[in-house]
Amino acid sequence: AQSVTQPDIHITVSEGASLELRCNYSYGATPYLFWYVQSPGQGLQLLLKYFSGDTLVQGIKGFEAEFKRSQSSFNLRKPSVHWSDAAEYFCAVEGVAGGSYIPTFGRGTSLIVHP
Amino acid sequence: DTGVSQNPRHKITKRGQNVTFRCDPISEHNRLYWYRQTLGQGPEFLTYFQNEAQLEKSRLLSDRFSAERPKGSFSTLEIQRTEQGDSAMYLCASSLAPGGNEQFFGPGTRLTVL
């Protein structure tokens, strides 16, 4: 069975500082990997995804993520955080189980941005 | 296209009542997912459809829950004999097949069971 761990429930950063949100997954092969963002009162929005190819993936809003097979990780980064980045961030994996693609989300990391 | 819509946005019901939620996906999307999200947790997969066929159901899904997607367009999620533990945000998402594509989420239906 696949699983996702986001070890940090909350992360607090100052505006302009760099950010790294951690995500570890468990799956027998390389799954599809995603990062979604959920702003208050908004639906989840895809930031970026990875399945194969270059292990450094660029996404929207200046985010990037790096896939590390040896560590089963897919950490999200941003070099300079803006106040508008304050939101809930979810890592997700989607692996094939019996021919069906079943998505599993982590519990999320809440990002707090101080001015 | 205005994206994925869900109705109602909020539902308050008494324990034991039945409730039904509706999801209208992006029109060209053939996959439709239902999730449940509780406070401090990520979306928990409930079920998904490809066109009108329900391809997968979570083992955690009680038999009080049923979902349909007639004609492969909108979908409904019904909860019978609601319990207080059913209180949650119910999310709908749609995507293109095959798997691994971006899911587009609706705003959710918040259910409160008194």
Side-chain angles (χ1 to χ4, degrees):
Chain A
Q2 63 199 30
S3 65
V4 179
T5 302
Q6 292 182 249
D8 303 306
I9 297 175
H10 303 282
I11 292 276
T12 301
V13 298
S14 297
E15 191 170 16
S18 63
L19 170 70
E20 182 170 31
L21 302 183
R22 295 183 290 166
C23 173
N24 292 94
Y25 69 91
S26 173
Y27 185 65
T30 299
Y32 291 94
L33 294 160
F34 305 83
W35 275 99
Y36 284 85
V37 61
Q38 186 177 35
S39 299
Q42 304 294 315
L44 278 80
Q45 181 185 21
L46 181 71
L47 289 175
L48 45 79
K49 77 171 189 180
Y50 173 82
F51 178 64
S52 63
D54 192 343
T55 57
L56 186 63
V57 182
Q58 302 298 319
I60 63 171
K61 304 185 180 186
F63 285 93
E64 66 178 26
E66 186 173 12
F67 170 65
K68 292 185 177 180
R69 185 189 307 275
S70 61
Q71 298 177 19
S72 297
S73 68
F74 189 55
N75 294 349
L76 182 72
R77 302 194 295 244
K78 187 169 185 178
S80 178
V81 170
H82 188 262
W83 65 266
S84 61
D85 293 325
E88 194 82 18
Y89 291 81
F90 295 97
C91 181
V93 303
E94 190 169 320
V96 178
S100 294
Y101 291 83
I102 306 300
T104 300
F105 284 77
R107 64 178 298 168
T109 296
S110 178
L111 176 63
I112 301 164
V113 180
H114 282 316
Chain B
D1 193 351
T2 56
V4 179
S5 62
Q6 293 186 245
N7 287 288
R9 295 291 305 276
H10 303 273
K11 179 71 177 179
I12 300 174
T13 191
K14 293 182 179 179
R15 189 174 51 189
Q17 298 294 305
N18 299 344
V19 294
T20 300
F21 309 141
R22 177 179 171 124
C23 172
D24 288 90
I26 293 172
S27 57
E28 61 267 29
H29 285 180
N30 46 15
R31 288 202 167 191
L32 188 149
Y33 299 80
W34 283 101
Y35 296 89
R36 176 171 57 197
Q37 185 179 24
T38 54
L39 195 63
Q41 300 297 319
E44 175 191 19
F45 170 79
L46 295 178
T47 188
Y48 91 92
F49 294 82
Q50 182 157 316
N51 301 314
E52 65 274 10
Q54 187 173 18
L55 294 188
E56 197 71 32
K57 250 173 102 167
S58 168
R59 284 188 294 255
L60 302 175
L61 199 61
S62 160
D63 57 8
R64 296 183 296 106
F65 288 70
S66 62
E68 293 182 340
R69 192 183 182 197
K71 303 178 185 177
S73 55
F74 71 92
S75 176
T76 57
L77 178 68
E78 181 183 18
I79 309 175
Q80 296 183 323
R81 305 181 302 282
T82 53
E83 302 173 355
Q84 288 187 324
D86 296 331
S87 295
M89 179 74 86
Y90 290 84
L91 301 174
C92 175
S94 69
S95 72
L96 291 168
N101 286 315
E102 175 181 2
Q103 293 187 32
F104 292 80
F105 282 80
T109 295
R110 181 168 296 283
L111 172 66
T112 302
V113 182
L114 302 176

